[in-house]
Amino acid sequence: MRWNRLLASIAIVAVTTATATAQTPQTPPRAGDPVEVEIDQGVIRPLQIAVANFDGQNGADLGGVIRADLRRSGYFEPMDPASFVETGLTLANAPNFPQWTSIGAQAVLYGSVTRRPDDRNDYGFRLYDPYRQCQLIAYQFTATPEQWRRIGHKIADLIYQRMTGETGLFDTRVIFVAESGTQLNRLSRLAISDQDGFNPVYLTQGDEIIMSPRFSLSDPNEITYVALGKDYSRIYLFNLATQRRESLGEFDGQVLAPRFSNDGTQMAFSIIRGGNTDVYVMDLSSRQVRRLTSDPGIDTSPSFNADGRQIVFTSDRSGSAKLYVMRADGSGQRPIARGSGLYTAPNWSPRGDLIAFTKQSGGRFSTGVMNPDGSGERILSSSYFEEGPSWAPNGRYIMFARQSPGGDTRLWTVDLSGRVISQSGYTGRGSDPAWSPLLDEQPTNLGGGGPNACPG
């Protein structure tokens, strides 16, 4: 039983739902200010944003992607385009501000898609504050027509960045274990999709059991995962751009739960050997391996902090599964989780400020966060079964998996308030998700200058 509970950090599954009710504020804030989400008796009051469909190729679909991304963030409530008074907006002109304030729009986005001589498209757009009557963003992307959906995610990221002051999260991908078949004949494949569940691709054929896929935070094309065959368990590196797969070598024992350091130079993982499970670290350039734990308990699921100097992991050395932190050389091992229940699947935020975890208590499973010293524990989601928290690159959202009694495993996301929770757009069964870093760095100059630019 102890083994099954502890190594739940290598499985994953999904369940229930919670909803947030959006309500328009009575006194609209200035759209140029950082968005403030007001939580009052469970009600989230997001910013009302008007996203007009773009002119040109795939323009309506592009507007739909932007609206869907912003709505899922919980910070925005995109307005119904049928409510818009002004239509026919063009990049050459500013909007008619009174017509937008009259319907309560606190920000207005519109744009166009223009074909270039090289058969690529220019995707230009502007974001305005209709109350202050000034421009917040003016920007243009250039891409092939087939990339329109990704451009929508990139535009949503810039809006999110400009309005919240936080890095975006929409131009990202998710890897996970796609599940199919029956309980007695289950097929698991390594899969990848856009963060909203679109464009799924299956990277393995189902002839191996796939576990613990993880991204390198320093390279969105580099992933790792465990593959179990009939007589082997291996940690693989897989490059999404080149499709090259490389084993990290043969180990004496079963390998579990690999995870990159944030700079991509090291890999932490566990090995089951001689009835014991310990944490090891490999230098990826030299392939040298160091053993970090040696107690008789089960030590697994290591995760580096942002600067690579500390590792959080799960251990049952005290008799039940708890979270421990140690220095990256294995010294200074100490427990941090202070509550009752079993703690597994720790994951250090890319910002370094929080540790996410799965907790089993009172017959339910929960997804929560705590400070690195174990204080400030907060439960964000709780259900029949859920597991495997993975951070968005901005450290403000978590993806995990849920399962209802007798139901299928699904991917879900929750924000740090615990109020914004929804099922992922991927429609199939999936577990063990891992969120990629942003596929490109976000621009720092959002083009809001000029005589019409908002102050600040």
Side-chain angles (χ1 to χ4, degrees), residues 25 29-31 33 35-36 45-49 74-78 106-107 163:
R30 297 186 308 172
D33 295 338
V35 175
E36 296 182 1
R45 295 175 177 171
L47 184 140
Q48 303 290 298
I49 183 169
Y75 285 104
F76 303 88
E77 181 57 37
Q106 296 163 256
M163 304 303 290

Side-chain angles (χ1 to χ4, degrees), residues 317-433:
R317 63 185 66 180
S318 66
S320 62
K322 300 292 183 183
L323 300 190
Y324 286 71
V325 166
M326 61 182 167
R327 300 185 187 94
D329 63 1
S331 64
Q333 298 178 24
R334 65 191 189 280
I336 59 169
R338 303 172 183 178
S340 60
L342 304 178
Y343 293 80
T344 57
N347 190 347
W348 217 310
S349 165
R351 299 168 68 111
D353 57 340
L354 294 169
I355 294 171
F357 57 85
T358 298
K359 182 177 181 178
Q360 182 184 357
S361 179
R364 293 174 68 81
F365 286 76
S366 302
T367 298
V369 294
M370 65 174 65
N371 297 323
D373 64 358
S375 65
E377 178 178 323
R378 291 186 291 119
I379 297 301
L380 306 179
S381 170
S382 184
S383 62
Y384 167 75
F385 189 92
E386 55 190 57
E387 240 286 342
S390 176
W391 291 96
N394 66 0
R396 290 296 174 256
Y397 299 83
I398 293 172
M399 184 173 289
F400 59 100
R402 275 185 170 183
Q403 184 184 33
S404 58
D408 292 330
T409 307
R410 304 292 181 182
L411 304 182
W412 287 69
T413 58
V414 64
D415 77 328
L416 285 183
S417 75
R419 308 306 206 278
V420 182
I421 184 168
S422 63
Q423 188 174 322
S424 165
Y426 178 69
T427 57
R429 291 154 52 189
S431 63
D432 220 348

Side-chain angles (χ1 to χ4, degrees), residues 123-255:
Y123 299 84
F125 65 97
R126 295 180 186 273
L127 180 69
Y128 276 89
D129 178 339
Y131 285 91
R132 291 195 290 171
Q133 302 189 4
C134 55
Q135 179 178 275
L136 294 161
I137 301 177
Y139 206 82
Q140 177 177 291
F141 291 105
T142 299
T144 63
E146 295 75 21
Q147 292 179 298
W148 66 267
R149 176 172 285 276
R150 186 179 172 198
I151 294 300
H153 295 319
K154 294 173 78 68
I155 293 172
D157 273 333
L158 293 189
I159 298 167
Y160 182 93
Q161 176 184 342
R162 179 65 176 87
M163 304 303 290
T164 71
E166 298 277 357
T167 305
L169 68 151
F170 304 116
D171 184 28
T172 57
R173 295 183 289 184
V174 176
I175 51 172
F176 56 95
V177 178
E179 301 173 351
S180 58
T182 65
Q183 291 286 347
L184 298 178
N185 187 23
R186 177 168 294 181
L187 186 70
S188 70
R189 292 180 290 173
L190 181 64
I192 187 169
S193 72
D194 296 346
Q195 53 79 26
D196 59 355
F198 282 80
N199 301 319
V201 175
Y202 303 100
L203 304 174
T204 61
Q205 301 304 311
D207 52 349
E208 298 172 309
I209 297 174
I210 303 301
M211 301 166 65
S212 305
R214 300 289 182 262
F215 273 100
S216 168
L217 297 188
S218 65
D219 183 350
N221 282 313
E222 197 75 21
I223 64 173
T224 185
Y225 64 94
V226 170
L228 302 181
K230 291 183 178 180
D231 56 359
Y232 65 86
S233 67
R234 295 182 184 137
I235 298 175
Y236 284 108
L237 296 178
F238 186 85
N239 188 282
L240 297 168
T242 65
Q243 300 290 294
R244 181 175 183 267
R245 187 172 88 157
E246 176 186 7
S247 171
L248 287 186
E250 299 297 326
F251 298 92
D252 179 17
Q254 182 175 331
V255 291

